[in-house]
Amino acid sequence: MIGLISATAAGRAGCERLAAAWPGRTVLYDDGGARPLREVVGAAFAECDRLVLFLATGAAVRLLAPHLRGKAEDPGVVTVDEAHRYAVALLGGHGGGANSLAAAVSSVLGAEPVVTTATDAVGATALDTLPYPAEGALPAVTRALLDGTPPVAFHTDTIWPLPPLPAALVPAPPAAAKKLPPQESATRKNASPEPDQGHPGEDDSPKTAATGGNETARPGGAGRTPAQTGTANDQAHPATGGNSPEADRGHPGEDDSPKTAATGGSETARPGGAGRMPGGTGTEDEEPYAVWLTDRTVAAGNTVFLRPPSLTVGVGGSRGVTREEVVTLVRSTLAEAGLAERSVTALATVDAKAAEPGIVAAAAAFGVPLLTYPADTLAAIPVPNPSAAPLAAVGTASVAEAAALAAAPGGELVAEKRKSAMATAAVARRRPRGRLAVVGLGPGARDLVTPRAVAELRRASVLVGLDQYVDQIRDLLAPGTRVLESGLGAEEERARTAVAEARAGHAVALIGSGDAGVYAMASPALAEAADDIDVVGVPGVTAALAAAALLGAPLGHDHVSISLSDLHTPWDVIERRVRAAAEADLVVTFYNPRSRGRDWQLPKALSILAGHRAPDTPVGVVHAASRPDERVAVTTLAGLDPATVDMVTVVTVGNTASRTVAGRMVTPRGYRWQAP
Ligand code: SAH
């Protein structure tokens, strides 16, 4: 029984909502204040196996303290605040069931569960962190994840870009990886030939440290994470690309055998057969708890299915075919092949059917786009069941099978053509696509890292970056993230590594300071990437903007950034651009302005600007914007001392209208209505 206790009207209302939500499972301890709360709590503590107290945690702790006996005997206790914002698992998180009770209370009250046990957030958010829609025995599996028992196994058919698995999910060997197209062929097919074009690095210090990207790779970063046990999405190893997903698997399960009767699931068939939980010594109705990432439908009890976006359905139809007929045929084709509707990413057909109402409406019914292809594209795709009718009608011997394959590049047919009176359908499975997020971390301060950047970092199972940038955000990474860091000068190697990891199917974050596309890693990485991976860019606050905000409003009119690093760009190209900026009266921000080995370039560039601008033109010098050693100075073209400038500095030179106002640099917007 779940005892419900309150001391206020709001608490009483909360108790009533829980009692109504869980009929027959709760006892309301409400005698209208006849007994002191202390006694009520004592009685409930003795009588119930779980308690919900609508009390401040402090009050609850004091009231409970005299009754505590031990982890094994005490009920699980959840406290809820007066505003019903939080349900705190206070006592007995795992064994007492308080963690899952906090989640259950939260879902009734619209509160947020607060879970602080060791496997805490991992359990609470385990399923939410995996970026695929979930179906199946969600309540039972969520409860097992929250309570940390019985263990929950994670199975996957193949590599999909995943964040590191939460510790509560224990990787199991894949059952059906062999059924999928080998990773290697496609990797090879798409291998890009062209390394080696020069491009600016993010820093031009001489290539001393760890050059050549001889992986200073420190998987997992010493002692940081529980990752060493290997996560399921950690199988394939770097750079070589496309290892078999069977390699290097973690061990399933803790030593706990599944507990007692599994609620929630009734069927007894087990997914795939392989990789069952150990300790299956119990009775018939003990069903292993599992999470499966698969597009296959498998009858199973305590299993949550995560559905990867893997299937494309090709459809054909005679003129006037109804939505119902198409939908019914697609559903039965999927069902017959044992495939999950939620893994369908698109319907596909021939161009000539692009506006066929029944087909258009069927795509809408499944909530997926309708992709269409020219007849000659489809005609060129080899299929098992060509036929004469569509050849005569639309100019290709296959619509359904060929369109399914056309929409699934590198994939294979998993359900051959089926027909109804007026429609045809076939299903293809596409190769998983890895995900490369190119993430700008901003100039240094933590609160200038965008929330989107944080989300991408947490979503990645592999992080690639310069060691000093990795240090900047290490604490933001999900436990178990594989960190491949390298030193200055290894830009190309980093870019190649990031792309190779994504090609192997992983979720990769490639990081750079400021904006990762400004004099940074995005260009070498994307020059290397083929269209077999998904790429996501996350903009970051670039140094010019971070500096401008400190200087005032220097970029109020047209402006340009110029890197003064001539390590990768010939000086005469740089000089030509500086001249052009000088003549065009653009505000100029110099990146990479000066280093120990490069000291004449900045004075030279400034002298070119001075040919077109007055000596008192304002110049802003910002060192280490937003970092602890930040320094900001506003000076003039004539007054700038280059010795104050180093490689962690940007120099912003105003245009002929820029002024210094109250110590701040201001470039007027220059419109007539704002004439100086
Ligand atoms: N991708 C980065 C720029 C890389 S080039 C960005 O978007 O900011 C490296 C140069 O950027 C440095 O030499 C320096 O000129 C500038 N820089 C980077 N971070 C800086 C900071 N916090 N403060 C001042 N300048 C910075």
Side-chain angles (χ1 to χ4, degrees):
M1 273 293 161
I2 303 173
L4 307 176
I5 297 178
S6 63
T8 65
R12 212 158 296 125
C15 288
E16 278 158 18
R17 285 174 68 189
L18 295 181
W22 303 326
R25 294 175 52 206
T26 61
V27 188
L28 204 54
Y29 285 84
D30 185 0
D31 57 9
R35 282 188 296 170
L37 204 52
R38 189 167 32 83
E39 276 177 32
V40 178
V41 169
F45 198 84
E47 292 159 14
C48 298
D49 54 5
R50 285 178 292 169
L51 293 181
V52 182
L53 308 182
F54 286 81
L55 292 173
T57 49
V61 167
R62 287 179 207 292
L63 290 165
L64 293 167
H67 306 290
L68 299 180
R69 285 164 307 188
K71 210 167 165 170
E73 300 117 90
D74 294 339
V77 178
V78 169
T79 62
V80 181
D81 66 302
E82 187 74 359
H84 301 179
R85 282 176 307 166
Y86 304 107
V88 183
L90 187 67
L91 201 61
H94 288 157
N99 290 350
S100 54
L101 182 59
V105 167
S106 295
S107 70
V108 175
L109 299 180
E112 198 176 312
V114 178
V115 172
T116 59
T117 43
T119 46
D120 68 6
V122 294
T125 58
L127 295 173
D128 311 341
T129 57
L130 303 176
Y132 302 104
E135 58 190 15
L138 278 159
V141 172
T142 304
R143 191 163 54 243
L145 288 170
L146 282 164
D147 291 343
T149 177
V152 180
F154 181 83
H155 306 253
T156 180
D157 285 340
T158 185
I159 301 175
W160 282 93
L162 280 172
L165 282 188
L169 278 175
V170 184
K178 286 175 215 77
K179 285 171 128 186
L180 292 171
Q183 299 269 353
E184 279 204 15
S185 52
T187 307
R188 246 189 253 124
K189 188 169 65 201
N190 290 306
S192 108
E194 87 307 335
D196 261 292
Q197 297 128 358
H199 32 60
E202 44 211 337
D203 194 313
D204 64 1
S205 315
K207 307 191 183 216
T208 46
T211 50
N214 299 326
E215 264 108 279
T216 16
R218 302 169 205 164
R224 285 185 320 111
T225 69
Q228 305 296 42
T229 53
T231 54
N233 48 336
D234 215 54
Q235 320 95 323
H237 283 295
T240 53
N243 298 12
S244 90
E246 290 97 318
D248 185 18
R249 215 39 77 95
H251 20 71
E254 260 78 73
D255 46 9
D256 273 349
S257 31
K259 232 189 189 169
T260 45
T263 52
S266 49
E267 282 146 292
T268 48
R270 294 172 187 205
R276 286 179 201 174
M277 298 307 300
T281 51
T283 59
E284 290 277 335
D285 49 22
E286 279 180 0
E287 188 69 43
Y289 284 66
V291 173
W292 269 79
L293 176 58
T294 180
D295 58 20
R296 295 176 300 128
T297 52
V298 192
N302 297 312
T303 301
V304 163
F305 294 94
L306 300 171
R307 298 304 187 190
S310 55
L311 303 176
T312 56
V313 182
V315 291
S318 312
R319 179 163 312 144
V321 66
T322 63
R323 166 186 178 274
E324 287 66 36
E325 180 171 345
V326 178
V327 168
T328 305
L329 179 65
V330 169
R331 289 224 163 100
S332 62
T333 305
L334 288 166
E336 194 137 298
L339 297 169
E341 188 176 318
R342 289 185 80 176
S343 280
V344 173
T345 60
L347 258 50
T349 189
V350 65
D351 279 348
K353 298 291 174 188
E356 183 62 43
I359 294 179
V360 172
F366 288 109
V368 298
L370 176 65
L371 308 177
T372 69
Y373 300 90
D376 53 357
T377 303
L378 299 185
I381 297 175
V383 296
N385 302 293
S387 80
L391 186 60
V394 292
T396 166
S398 168
V399 173
E401 291 181 345
L405 285 166
E412 59 172 2
L413 213 55
V414 286
E416 292 188 9
K417 181 173 66 176
R418 292 178 85 249
K419 286 193 259 192
S420 59
M422 294 177 72
T424 55
V427 187
R429 178 183 284 136
R430 68 183 177 95
R431 265 178 50 79
R433 289 167 69 85
R435 188 169 200 277
L436 174 63
V438 185
V439 181
L441 300 179
R446 175 53 57 86
D447 60 353
L448 290 178
V449 182
T450 66
R452 190 177 298 186
V454 174
E456 284 297 342
L457 294 176
R458 294 198 67 87
R459 206 196 144 130
S461 63
V462 182
L463 181 87
V464 182
L466 184 66
D467 44 14
Q468 69 196 55
Y469 299 156
V470 174
D471 288 340
Q472 215 174 304
I473 44 82
R474 210 181 282 279
D475 60 301
L476 293 175
L477 303 176
T481 307
R482 189 148 50 89
V483 178
L484 306 175
E485 50 195 318
S486 42
L488 285 177
E491 286 81 20
E492 303 215 354
E493 180 58 29
R494 272 198 293 284
R496 264 195 296 276
T497 300
V499 170
E501 290 287 341
R503 272 192 184 138
H506 297 294
V508 181
L510 175 62
I511 57 171
S513 84
D515 183 277
V518 175
Y519 307 121
M521 292 305 296
S523 333
L526 299 196
E528 181 88 0
D531 66 359
D532 59 347
I533 58 170
D534 293 328
V535 174
V536 178
V538 181
V541 177
T542 187
L545 297 185
L550 292 165
L551 292 168
L555 307 182
H557 210 283
D558 301 333
H559 54 275
V560 68
S561 294
I562 297 179
S563 167
L564 291 184
S565 169
D566 56 356
L567 290 189
H568 301 281
T569 307
W571 176 254
D572 51 337
V573 172
I574 297 172
E575 190 172 316
R576 181 151 50 87
R577 292 179 184 170
V578 175
R579 265 180 218 295
E583 282 162 19
D585 198 25
L586 296 167
V587 176
V588 183
T589 301
F590 291 115
Y591 282 69
N592 300 309
R594 184 171 180 271
S595 66
R596 228 171 301 143
R598 284 190 306 105
D599 57 2
W600 56 264
Q601 289 85 346
L602 178 64
K604 174 73 184 162
L606 293 173
S607 77
I608 295 170
L609 291 176
H612 297 259
R613 297 175 199 187
D616 63 351
T617 301
V619 174
V621 179
V622 177
H623 169 88
S626 89
R627 299 182 196 166
D629 53 338
E630 170 184 293
R631 275 197 323 268
V632 183
V634 177
T635 171
T636 61
L637 256 184
L640 173 69
D641 174 7
T644 61
V645 174
D646 64 10
M647 274 304 283
V648 196
T649 305
V650 281
V651 176
T652 298
V653 182
N655 67 13
T656 52
S658 302
R659 286 170 292 152
T660 304
V661 180
R664 301 184 193 101
M665 212 173 145
V666 179
T667 301
R669 291 185 63 194
Y671 298 117
R672 259 177 244 269
W673 49 262
Q674 214 189 8

